[in-house]
Amino acid sequence: MSTFQAPKGTYDLTPPRSATFLAVREVISAPLRDSGYGYIETPGFENVELFARGVGESTDIVTKEMYTLTTKGGDQLALRPEGTASVLRAALEANLHKAGNLPVKLWYSGSYYRYERPQAGRYRHFSQVGAEAIGTEDPALDAELIILADQAYRSLGLRRFRILLNSLGDKECRPVYREALQTFLRDLDLDEETRRRIEINPLRVLDDKRADVQKQLTDAPKLRDYLCDACKAYHEEVRALLTAAGVAFEDDEKLVRGLDYYTRTTFEFVHDGLGSQSAVGGGGRYDGLSEMIGGPELPSVGWALGVDRTVLALEAESVELDLPATTSVYAVPLGEEARRVLFGVVTELRRAGIAADFAFGGRGLKGAMKSANRSGARYTLVAGERDLAEGVVQLKDMESGEQSAVPLAEAAAELAKRLG
Ligand code: AMP
């Protein structure tokens, strides 16, 4: 293996594509920042116990996909496979829920790690932007999060995504359904592992992607028929609020999601241009999670959107984000003296808030102009000995090709004026 190869299932973000990733994080988080969500950052690793209890002992994420390690001090840690458990842990630790300001609304952005079988759109290191609204049971909060995610994807320019919606019931009605489902599943022709899953987490069997399994599930009892009145009313209200907001969704009975902590509302954003890894984001309500990790009762709801797959979705739809050129002015000095002078102008421009770059390394005019072009700069400043002797620099408009001599002392002000 080459020393220059990233570990299996990972990849690097390098310019220019990396700019799209930054922009996606920015666009996804913008609606959250405008809606009362505060930024939270938690460590990249946590005590393994948090995920075992929080995400669920029976989930693939915990049993197969977690990167665990024992520190030299003997602590059992895990690289975070998802964000919700960490964010809730941090909110509890900081007593954010006791400040008398519920719900606690938080957003985050970061790297997550799962030891999965790598394929297109599925990596061992990936990036998410997420949101959690902690401590309040209110269908409007579920609706708010779904609407904000929809707004985020739309403002990116995505169109070919769909929202799948379901309700998983609560601690009253879900156990009754669970038992009915187990009774049904036990009679089916299933492999050992799936049979084990029936006993630990039968709802996840509904999520099985295999056609021979799906075929047997046609007559499985439906959760919808088991929802208690409170859950039904709650779900109807979420649906009504989404409809009123003009957010289209599809009811998806089979949507159970891979984590144990969900109750009531669950949803997934799928994109039709991504092949098998079609989920670009997902989330739901997790009313029991706080208690599962040892906290007080704090009904909450949240989502996480995958940045990697969102970028793939943009590529699938051929959406080009309108990324402003990072450099507005590119300075090309010809000779030692010009190098000192133009470097000074570049510094002045930067201090005035104008994005400027410089042809380093004493390169010839041709190569330096190529770099100027590549930088996307609107203007170039060129100066040689003769210009300096006359006290001017050549200011070239890269769009029109027009070039004019500008007094050196006025170059920065002139550029500031032209760039508005
Ligand atoms: P989940 O926590 O599994 O619901 O994931 C939320 C979102 O994160 C998914 O919809 C994906 O967009 C993204 N995601 C999850 N796992 C991976 C992965 N292994 N590689 C890339 N993106 C992922």
Side-chain angles (χ1 to χ4, degrees), residues 114 116 121-123 126 128 257 279-282 304 306 309:
R114 294 182 195 171
E116 300 200 78
R122 188 158 77 182
Y123 312 105
F126 57 96
Q128 291 183 338
R257 315 224 340 107
V280 285
R309 285 187 203 165

Side-chain angles (χ1 to χ4, degrees), residues 349-366:
L349 286 169
R350 288 172 176 168
R351 286 182 178 152
I354 294 172
D357 204 358
F358 185 77
F360 290 96
R363 307 160 60 194
L365 181 62
K366 214 168 135 199

Side-chain angles (χ1 to χ4, degrees), residues 98-175:
K98 289 188 182 158
N101 193 24
L102 297 178
V104 176
K105 300 210 281 189
L106 301 166
W107 76 273
Y108 58 88
S109 172
S111 295
Y112 296 84
Y113 309 86
R114 294 182 195 171
Y115 188 74
E116 300 200 78
R117 194 171 46 79
Q119 65 183 90
R122 188 158 77 182
Y123 312 105
R124 291 180 171 178
H125 165 267
F126 57 96
S127 158
Q128 291 183 338
V129 172
E132 315 290 348
I134 297 164
T136 305
E137 191 183 81
D138 183 341
L141 201 52
D142 306 41
E144 166 175 292
L145 277 163
I146 296 171
I147 292 167
L148 293 177
D150 177 76
Q151 191 180 326
Y153 284 137
R154 283 190 189 282
S155 51
L156 279 169
L158 288 177
R159 291 295 173 264
R160 287 173 59 204
F161 67 88
R162 291 177 290 128
I163 301 173
L164 310 179
L165 186 69
N166 194 19
S167 172
L168 294 182
D170 64 5
K171 56 178 187 279
E172 300 301 321
C173 53
R174 180 126 118 232

Side-chain angles (χ1 to χ4, degrees), residues 196-214:
R196 258 199 308 278
R197 188 167 285 166
I198 296 173
E199 304 312 319
I200 313 169
N201 192 344
L203 267 73
R204 296 219 35 243
V205 179
L206 300 178
D207 213 11
D208 203 306
K209 300 280 183 284
R210 291 169 296 184
D212 60 310
V213 177
Q214 279 303 327

